[in-house]
């Protein structure tokens, strides 16, 4: 190996060590931030903050690029790769080490990736401003931004999500399954991102105690989740409304511990079925769910709410549709058999 090759090899090893040390420092900072937020009484709010979702990954990627490219000799490909690698490491560590739920990781990953690219390329464009100003920004910016965001009011936004399906059945065939459905098998319903990819358990059963307004329906999802729905509107074959009552923590225990349906930044309030006759034996069934989002990133959270809550609604509607249509077909077949028997009896008597 020539002297020039030896120098080049040493320079590459030095750069590689700097990159590894940059990633190690970034992961330590990310873990420290996670532990501090988890220990904080208002930690759940901060996990859904601009500081955690957008600023922190941008600063971490900028820091890695600052350490890993001291002489500004790396290509733009390095700055594209850093956020990809950091995001992958953070997601892997969150699931394997910190036991975070898949839902939380999937929601955070796109924002961390985009913010990381912004931080990396801002650093790339500002490397000529070397010195204490650039270095001190890694400390000053997160502190100032954190204090500023803490003073911002948290917006409370009521969100309404609605899905509808046409059912080839009469309202009375649908009503019974809207009120209560037992013994729901794995093969019922439809494929959804929320259930099949993100792992949210599917409905297994809903049972009603009582009748009319004030009755309590208990819903069971998967093998562990259960919650109550107190009936608030009861118009047989027309409308069924309820308010949610989460009496235990099974929803967040078996989905994602940072996302409680009755927590600091999310409150699922009410739901209703509306049955609208379209023609003979065709009914439109509409399911509406209302919840309150209480974060500083309600617009982004709303996108995921539309996807996941919409998936859950479409799955439930499909279960009711399939059951009601089977009941309607068999019921009409029995009625036709009865009419045939009556006509045959009358004909025989006449003869």
């Amino acid at each position: 190996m020539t002297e020039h090759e030896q120098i080049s090899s040493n320079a590459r090893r030095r750069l590689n060590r700097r990159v590894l040390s940059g990633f190690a420092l970034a992961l330590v900072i990310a873990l420290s931030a996670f532990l501090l937020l988890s220990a904080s009484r208002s930690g759940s709010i901060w996990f859904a903050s601009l500081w955690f979702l957008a600023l922190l990954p941008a600063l971490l990627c900028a820091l890695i690029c600052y350490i890993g490219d001291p002489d500004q000799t790396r290509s733009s490909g390095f700055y594209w790769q850093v956020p990809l690698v950091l995001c992958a490491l953070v997601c892997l560590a969150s699931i394997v080490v910190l036991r975070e739920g898949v839902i939380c990781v999937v929601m955070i990953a796109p924002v961390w990736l985009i913010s990381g690219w912004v931080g990396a390329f801002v650093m790339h464009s500002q490397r000529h401003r070397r010195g204490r100003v650039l270095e001190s920004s890694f400390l000053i910016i997160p502190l100032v931004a954190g204090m500023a965001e803490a003073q911002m009011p948290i917006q409370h936004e009521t969100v309404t999500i609605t899905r509808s399906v046409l059912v080839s059945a009469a309202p009375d065939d649908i009503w019974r399954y809207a009120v209560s459905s037992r013994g729901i098998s794995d093969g019922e319903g439809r494929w959804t991102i929320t259930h099949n990819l993100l792992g949210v358990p599917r409905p297994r059963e809903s049972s009603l105690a009582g009748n009319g307004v004030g009755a309590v329906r208990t819903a069971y999802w998967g093998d562990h989740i259960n919650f109550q729905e107190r009936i608030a509107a009861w118009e047989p074959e027309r409308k069924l409304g309820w308010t949610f009552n989460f009496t235990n923590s099974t929803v967040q225990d078996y989905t994602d511990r940072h996302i409680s349906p009755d927590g600091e930044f999310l409150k699922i309030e009410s739901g209703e079925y509306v049955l609208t006759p379209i023609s003979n034996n065709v009914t439109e069934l509409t399911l509406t769910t209302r919840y309150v989002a209480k974060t500083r990133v309600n617009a982004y959270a709303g996108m995921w709410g539309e996807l996941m809550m919409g998936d859950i609604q479409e799955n439930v509607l499909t279960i009711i549709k399939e059951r009601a249509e089977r009941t309607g077909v068999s019921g009409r077949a029995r009625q036709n058999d009865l009419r045939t028997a009556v006509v045959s009896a009358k004909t025989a008597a006449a003869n």
Side-chain angles (χ1 to χ4, degrees), residues 198-232:
L198 301 185
V200 173
R202 290 178 174 272
R204 295 292 188 188
E205 180 176 305
S206 60
S207 59
L208 186 70
N211 197 42
V213 174
V216 176
R217 182 171 63 176
T218 303
Y220 299 89
W221 289 8
D223 297 325
H224 305 284
I225 295 175
N226 65 85
F227 54 90
Q228 294 182 345
E229 300 165 344
R230 187 170 297 277
I231 303 301

Side-chain angles (χ1 to χ4, degrees), residues 18-29 64 67 78 81-87 89:
R18 290 184 68 92
V19 171
L20 291 176
S21 63
F23 274 106
L25 179 59
L27 289 174
V28 168
I29 294 173
I64 295 171
I67 295 174
F78 171 76
Q81 292 171 6
V82 165
L84 284 169
V85 175
L86 179 64
C87 188
L89 290 174

Side-chain angles (χ1 to χ4, degrees), residues 49-182:
S49 67
L50 291 170
W51 185 91
F52 182 78
L53 289 174
L55 182 62
L56 180 61
L59 287 171
L60 293 179
C61 289
L63 179 62
I64 295 171
C65 293
Y66 180 80
I67 295 174
D69 188 22
D71 302 318
Q72 306 177 54
T73 58
R74 293 187 180 272
S75 68
S76 60
F78 171 76
Y79 290 83
W80 283 108
Q81 292 171 6
V82 165
L84 284 169
V85 175
L86 179 64
C87 188
L89 290 174
V90 168
C91 290
L92 184 63
S94 297
I95 295 174
V96 176
V97 179
L98 300 177
R99 303 296 182 184
E100 286 298 302
V102 174
I103 295 175
C104 192
V105 172
V106 170
M107 290 176 65
I108 288 175
V111 185
W112 267 57
L113 190 57
I114 294 172
S115 299
W117 278 323
V118 171
F121 281 99
V122 167
M123 172 57 65
H124 186 267
S125 67
Q126 297 297 312
R127 285 308 298 265
H128 63 281
R129 298 184 179 180
R130 302 194 62 148
R132 294 183 178 179
V133 174
L134 182 60
E135 294 170 359
S136 62
S137 66
F138 292 115
L139 177 63
I140 296 173
I141 291 177
L143 291 176
V144 173
M147 289 187 292
E149 186 171 4
Q151 304 305 313
M152 295 170 55
I154 297 176
Q155 300 297 318
H156 289 212
E157 180 182 350
T158 300
V159 181
T160 300
I161 297 178
T162 300
R163 295 290 189 274
S164 297
V165 66
L166 290 178
V167 185
S168 297
D172 61 326
D173 293 322
I174 301 170
W175 176 257
R176 69 184 75 179
Y177 298 115
V179 170
S180 177
S181 288
R182 296 179 179 272

Side-chain angles (χ1 to χ4, degrees), residues 181-254:
S181 288
R182 296 179 179 272
I184 302 173
S185 67
D186 291 334
E188 294 187 76
R190 58 171 293 174
W191 188 97
T192 69
I193 292 174
T194 300
H195 294 301
N196 295 83
L197 295 185
L198 301 185
V200 173
R202 290 178 174 272
R204 295 292 188 188
E205 180 176 305
S206 60
S207 59
L208 186 70
N211 197 42
V213 174
V216 176
R217 182 171 63 176
T218 303
Y220 299 89
W221 289 8
D223 297 325
H224 305 284
I225 295 175
N226 65 85
F227 54 90
Q228 294 182 345
E229 300 165 344
R230 187 170 297 277
I231 303 301
W234 180 277
E235 301 176 34
E237 302 177 18
R238 292 181 57 192
K239 181 178 180 180
L240 177 68
W242 61 88
T243 56
F244 288 96
N245 184 22
F246 298 97
T247 57
N248 55 56
S249 62
T250 55
V251 173
Q252 65 189 104
D253 290 343
Y254 292 94

Side-chain angles (χ1 to χ4, degrees), residues 255-267:
T255 54
D256 194 296
R257 60 193 176 100
H258 288 302
I259 304 177
S260 168
D262 190 17
E264 291 180 272
F265 58 86
L266 172 67
K267 181 176 179 59

Side-chain angles (χ1 to χ4, degrees), residues 328-344:
V329 169
S330 62
R332 288 193 294 274
R334 287 194 298 271
Q335 290 176 356
N336 291 335
D337 292 341
L338 180 60
R339 292 194 192 97
T340 300
V342 170
V343 171
S344 298

